[in-house]
Amino acid sequence: PQADMLIHAGDVSQRGEDHEVEDFIKWFSKLEYQYKIFIAGNHDFYFEEETVNRIQKILPPNTYYLCDTGVTIEGINIWGSPITPTFFNWAFNRDRGKEIAKYWSKIPKDTDILITHGPPSGILDLTKTGLNVGCEDLLKKVKSIKPKYHLFGHIHETYGEYKSTHTTYYNGSILDENYAITNQPIILEI
């Protein structure tokens, strides 16, 4: 859709293979948006082996890769993280508790838009098996810093929006649990 900024909340590849990521970067870089931001997801093993600086060097000036890092664009503070609670042996998995909490502690208090691959606990995180699989420590951090928006994907079954007093949450997964495109990109007016 037409917009000034495009944000992708991870899983830019199927298995994180070099050729998949290279195809994504070529495609994403050519899209005609004023600003483009993306994070990696649990499928994106390629990015675990690379530094943010190395990825950023191959991107055009208006395209940003965030990995426990942030960027300020036109006065909007944006922070991104690919980290999700451990689930089998996927990329960017961290154990719940102290290990994952240290990543959330890096999120600045003045974050306006938070992009994480996974959801916070109890918010758009319900799987088809009836389990809430979001991160409790992420929920604590979001409630503490109160970003205006929290964007994520990861749990394909719970695409949509949830509004709390301070934060609007969006699960923007356009794929269903069978990896078929079933949902439209979410458009925000800021």
Side-chain angles (χ1 to χ4, degrees):
Q2 283 190 309
D4 296 316
M5 182 183 298
L6 177 65
I7 298 174
H8 193 297
D11 284 349
V12 305
S13 66
Q14 181 69 27
R15 291 184 170 77
E17 295 176 6
D18 292 7
H19 69 92
E20 294 175 320
V21 172
E22 289 165 7
D23 284 348
F24 168 80
I25 289 174
K26 285 178 192 171
W27 170 77
F28 197 73
S29 295
K30 291 178 184 174
L31 294 174
E32 295 185 14
Y33 292 89
Q34 188 172 356
Y35 304 105
K36 295 168 279 193
I37 299 170
F38 73 98
I39 65 170
N42 63 301
H43 284 252
D44 302 325
F45 291 97
Y46 174 94
F47 293 99
E48 279 197 310
E49 305 300 321
E50 295 292 339
T51 65
V52 173
N53 288 338
R54 281 186 53 164
I55 298 296
Q56 198 61 52
K57 284 180 183 177
I58 63 173
L59 299 173
N62 67 335
T63 304
Y64 304 91
Y65 167 61
L66 303 181
C67 183
D68 298 308
T69 55
V71 63
T72 300
I73 296 173
E74 296 190 18
I76 300 169
N77 297 320
I78 304 166
W79 184 266
S81 177
I83 302 300
T84 56
T86 299
F87 177 73
F88 294 113
N89 194 24
W90 289 95
F92 296 104
N93 279 195
R94 302 297 182 264
D95 290 336
R96 293 175 186 270
K98 286 183 181 179
E99 185 181 358
I100 205 165
K102 72 182 178 183
Y103 290 90
W104 307 143
S105 71
K106 297 176 184 181
I107 303 169
K109 293 178 184 177
D110 64 348
T111 299
D112 299 306
I113 299 174
L114 176 61
I115 311 160
T116 59
H117 183 58
S121 180
I123 299 176
L124 302 170
D125 71 335
L126 188 66
T127 66
K128 66 180 177 182
T129 60
L131 296 175
N132 290 96
V133 295
C135 182
E136 296 87 0
D137 289 303
L138 177 56
L139 179 63
K140 287 179 196 172
K141 184 64 177 187
V142 172
K143 285 185 172 184
S144 168
I145 65 170
K146 300 175 180 72
K148 186 168 181 149
Y149 299 103
H150 183 189
L151 316 177
F152 47 89
H154 189 48
I155 306 303
H156 300 241
E157 300 96 306
T158 50
Y159 167 88
E161 171 188 73
Y162 173 80
K163 291 184 179 187
S164 72
T165 305
H166 300 285
T167 303
T168 302
Y169 301 84
Y170 290 98
N171 179 333
S173 180
I174 63 168
L175 303 179
D176 66 14
E177 60 272 11
N178 297 314
Y179 299 102
I181 296 175
T182 56
N183 299 313
Q184 294 296 312
I186 294 172
I187 301 172
L188 305 179
E189 179 114 13
I190 299 177

